[in-house]
Amino acid sequence: MSATPLSATTLGSLPAEASPAAYDRSSITASIVHFGVGGFHRAHEAMYLDRLMRDGKALEWGICGVGALPHDRRIVDTLSAQDGLYTLVVKHPDGHREPR
């Protein structure tokens, strides 16, 4: 089985266990500026906001990620090519892994 490239156009073809967001991403208002959009930020602050947005809350608290350093270019380019989407794999205490 080959991997599906992640983008706004491929969200509908993802397996249900990947649990793509059901909210309208275009309706989110960016109110938070975050310098750096590395893995730690995406696995914490962005994940918590995504959880709230899935419940219909915090839709006015979107994040504008700013890559201010030269080495930020790689992640900016990668996220841009994926329409700002990425997969987060949550590892639960029992070892179960949940892709989001």
Side-chain angles (χ1 to χ4, degrees), residues 34-38 41-42 45 63-68 72 75:
H34 192 278
F35 287 90
V37 289
H41 156 72
R42 289 180 284 126
E45 181 182 24
I63 301 168
C64 174
V66 176
D72 292 330
I75 190 65

Side-chain angles (χ1 to χ4, degrees), residues 19 28 32 46 71 73 77 82 97:
S19 68
I28 305 300
I32 298 171
H71 69 269
R73 172 63 28 209
D77 290 345
Q82 297 175 175
R97 294 175 191 263

Side-chain angles (χ1 to χ4, degrees), residues 43-87:
H44 292 85
E45 181 182 24
M47 180 194 68
Y48 296 130
L49 286 169
D50 177 65
R51 284 183 179 176
L52 289 170
M53 290 174 183
R54 287 170 184 261
D55 289 339
K57 303 171 186 169
L59 299 175
E60 70 282 6
W61 287 103
I63 301 168
C64 174
V66 176
L69 301 174
H71 69 269
D72 292 330
R73 172 63 28 209
R74 182 176 175 202
I75 190 65
V76 169
D77 290 345
T78 300
L79 288 172
S80 293
Q82 297 175 175
D83 298 324
L85 299 167
Y86 61 92
T87 302

